[in-house]
Amino acid sequence: MEVAQPKDLQEDFVLAKRRYAELGRQKRIFNARNRIIGGDTTAWDAQVCDQNIKAATEKAREETFAAEMRQNDKIACISENRERRDRKNLCKAISDFQQSFQRPETRREFHLSDPLALKKDRPARQSDYGAWNTISGMQKFMGEDLNFHLRKKFQEEQNREWSLQQQKEWMIGRENQKCAEELYLKTRLQFDETAKHLQNLETATRKAVCATVKEFNKNQALESAERKIQERKQEQEDNLAEISNLLRGDLLSENPQQAASSFGPHRVVPDRWKGMSQEQLGEIRLVQKQQVQEKLRLQEEERQRDMDWNRRRIQKARAALLFERQQQRQQRGLRRALDCSNLSLAREQLLQKKHMKELCTNHATEDYFTQFNTGSR
């Protein structure tokens, strides 16, 4: 199972936000009903808001990385100081061991180049460590040395000192391992807190973006509905004013008998002619009323079509919001499963370390008893 890193979550969030902005831009550009000529100030404001959100997210991510780098530097310094101290103690122990047990006088070939060999020359069996007490002389055999009791006591003291030293070294190693495990657990907890903070920041950012988009869509719908109502109202007022002016104007309100000509009833005065008869005017008015009704019907259909478009847009926005919430629930489920898996792995690792410590303790005890039995023989 792959572990979701904060960097991967941040990249997914940036890609989703960019994809959503691109879809919104395409809707504004390719929508022939809402596209206008000129600059889109609303889109510019949305871009500025997105840039501010992106800058805040980048700043938080950089601060998190800086804190993580400081923590890593601190751990590196502690490890380096510990390694330097261990190396110093090791060099000191080696030097003390050489000064105590590896002096030039204790070497097997020292008597071949000893400048005081003649001065140190003694009889064959005067002491156990004489220069002339060689193997070929057959003056000393196993268990027949003069200081057998002192040597045995010295060996017992030496075995006891070695055992105490081994116990001390084992206790020091155990304390160091315990400190390292505590530091590792603290580091893991700090990493978990950082991941939780980044996840909360991402959730808050997504909620802010969704709220901004929802508010923007709501304002756009309200403005569009208000603008259409005002246009329809203005058009009706203009139509009523035009009809009223035509009905009450001088051209239509004058007496049609003024156009009668003195040359005959079939002749009219051109500059006084008032138009057709009442029947013809009635037909024309009827046609005009039909046209007005047709126009009102078309306006009603246009309004219904706009309402249908708005309803579809709101449904699409709601479906996108539900899909995003479902993705968030799935991510939370994956995160809980990942935390459970990490917890089980940590428990298994602690049990394994405890078992290894018990095995090391048993082996150390067995080695101690083996060395003690060998020294006793």
Side-chain angles (χ1 to χ4, degrees):
M1 180 183 294
E2 297 182 357
V3 180
Q5 298 294 333
K7 183 177 180 182
D8 298 334
L9 296 176
Q10 185 69 21
E11 291 178 356
D12 294 338
F13 171 71
V14 172
L15 291 175
K17 185 174 68 175
R18 190 178 302 169
R19 190 181 301 110
Y20 185 82
E22 182 65 21
L23 291 175
R25 187 181 69 84
Q26 290 179 1
K27 288 181 180 179
R28 292 193 302 272
I29 292 176
F30 297 105
N31 191 356
R33 301 174 58 82
N34 297 329
R35 187 173 67 245
I36 59 175
I37 298 175
D40 192 355
T41 57
T42 306
W44 295 344
D45 295 338
Q47 290 178 1
V48 171
C49 182
D50 292 340
Q51 290 294 331
N52 293 332
I53 293 172
K54 182 178 180 181
T57 305
E58 291 292 330
K59 183 177 180 181
R61 186 167 65 87
E62 291 177 358
E63 290 178 356
T64 304
F65 288 164
E68 185 177 359
M69 290 177 63
R70 288 194 296 269
Q71 183 67 21
N72 294 333
D73 293 338
K74 185 177 180 181
I75 294 172
C77 291
I78 293 173
S79 301
E80 186 177 358
N81 293 331
R82 184 183 301 164
E83 184 179 0
R84 189 184 299 110
R85 185 173 62 253
D86 294 341
R87 190 183 297 110
K88 182 177 179 181
N89 293 332
L90 180 61
C91 293
K92 183 178 179 181
I94 292 173
S95 179
D96 294 337
F97 182 81
Q98 290 177 352
Q99 292 293 333
S100 300
F101 303 103
Q102 293 183 352
R103 294 193 300 271
E105 294 81 5
T106 59
R107 296 177 183 175
R108 186 175 58 183
E109 297 85 1
F110 180 74
H111 66 280
L112 299 177
S113 59
D114 188 5
L116 302 176
L118 297 176
K119 294 181 179 181
K120 296 178 181 179
D121 192 8
R122 293 290 185 274
R125 189 56 178 167
Q126 186 177 359
S127 65
D128 295 332
Y129 299 98
W132 295 96
N133 191 9
T134 60
I135 296 176
S136 60
M138 300 181 69
Q139 297 294 323
K140 177 183 176 183
F141 296 95
M142 183 66 67
E144 295 181 359
D145 51 335
L146 299 177
N147 56 350
F148 171 76
H149 299 286
L150 296 176
R151 178 175 57 79
K152 185 176 181 181
K153 185 178 181 180
F154 175 75
Q155 288 178 353
E156 292 177 355
E157 291 292 334
Q158 188 177 18
N159 289 330
R160 188 176 65 83
E161 291 294 333
W162 286 354
S163 177
L164 293 176
Q165 185 177 3
Q166 287 179 356
Q167 292 180 1
K168 184 178 180 181
E169 291 177 355
W170 181 78
M171 292 296 293
I172 292 173
R174 185 176 180 182
E175 291 294 332
N176 294 333
Q177 187 177 4
K178 185 177 180 181
C179 292
E181 290 178 356
E182 291 179 354
L183 182 60
Y184 174 75
L185 292 176
K186 290 181 180 179
T187 306
R188 289 292 301 173
L189 291 175
Q190 186 174 4
F191 287 165
D192 293 338
E193 290 293 333
T194 304
K196 184 178 180 181
H197 176 68
L198 289 175
Q199 188 175 6
N200 292 333
L201 181 62
E202 180 183 358
T203 304
T205 306
R206 287 187 176 180
K207 289 183 178 179
V209 171
C210 291
T212 304
V213 172
K214 184 178 180 181
E215 188 67 23
F216 174 75
N217 293 333
K218 184 178 179 181
N219 294 332
Q220 288 290 326
L222 292 175
E223 290 178 1
S224 178
E226 185 68 23
R227 185 172 60 254
K228 290 178 181 179
I229 293 172
Q230 293 294 333
E231 290 177 356
R232 191 180 301 107
K233 184 177 180 182
Q234 185 66 31
E235 187 176 0
Q236 291 178 358
E237 291 178 357
D238 294 341
N239 293 333
L240 292 175
E242 183 179 0
I243 294 171
S244 177
N245 292 330
L246 290 174
L247 294 175
R248 297 177 183 178
D250 296 337
L251 183 62
L252 298 178
S253 62
E254 293 181 356
N255 189 6
Q257 298 297 328
Q258 296 179 1
S261 178
S262 60
F263 295 100
H266 62 282
R267 301 281 300 273
V268 293
V269 180
D271 58 345
R272 298 179 185 177
W273 185 65
K274 301 307 177 181
M276 294 173 282
S277 62
Q278 292 296 330
E279 291 79 7
Q280 294 176 347
L281 292 175
E283 293 179 359
I284 292 173
R285 292 191 184 97
L286 181 59
V287 172
Q288 288 179 352
K289 289 181 180 180
Q290 292 177 358
Q291 290 178 354
V292 170
Q293 292 178 0
E294 182 67 20
K295 190 173 183 179
L296 292 175
R297 186 181 63 80
L298 293 176
Q299 290 178 356
E300 183 65 23
E301 291 179 355
E302 183 73 16
R303 188 177 66 83
Q304 292 294 333
R305 195 181 303 109
D306 293 338
M307 292 177 63
D308 190 15
W309 276 97
N310 293 331
R311 185 173 64 256
R312 290 181 181 178
R313 185 171 62 252
I314 292 172
Q315 288 178 356
K316 289 183 180 179
R318 187 180 294 108
L321 182 61
L322 291 175
F323 179 72
E324 186 175 357
R325 289 179 179 175
Q326 184 179 2
Q327 286 184 344
Q328 291 179 359
R329 288 195 296 270
Q330 291 178 358
Q331 289 181 359
R332 287 195 294 268
L334 292 175
R335 182 62 184 175
R336 287 195 295 269
L338 180 60
D339 293 338
C340 292
S341 179
N342 293 333
L343 182 62
S344 62
L345 290 175
R347 290 176 178 175
E348 291 178 0
Q349 188 177 8
L350 290 175
L351 291 175
Q352 187 176 5
K353 288 183 178 180
K354 184 177 180 181
H355 182 64
M356 292 299 294
K357 288 179 182 179
E358 292 178 356
L359 290 177
C360 291
T361 305
N362 294 331
H363 286 305
T365 307
E366 291 177 359
D367 294 339
Y368 168 72
F369 283 114
T370 304
Q371 293 178 1
F372 182 76
N373 294 329
T374 304
S376 299
R377 292 193 188 95

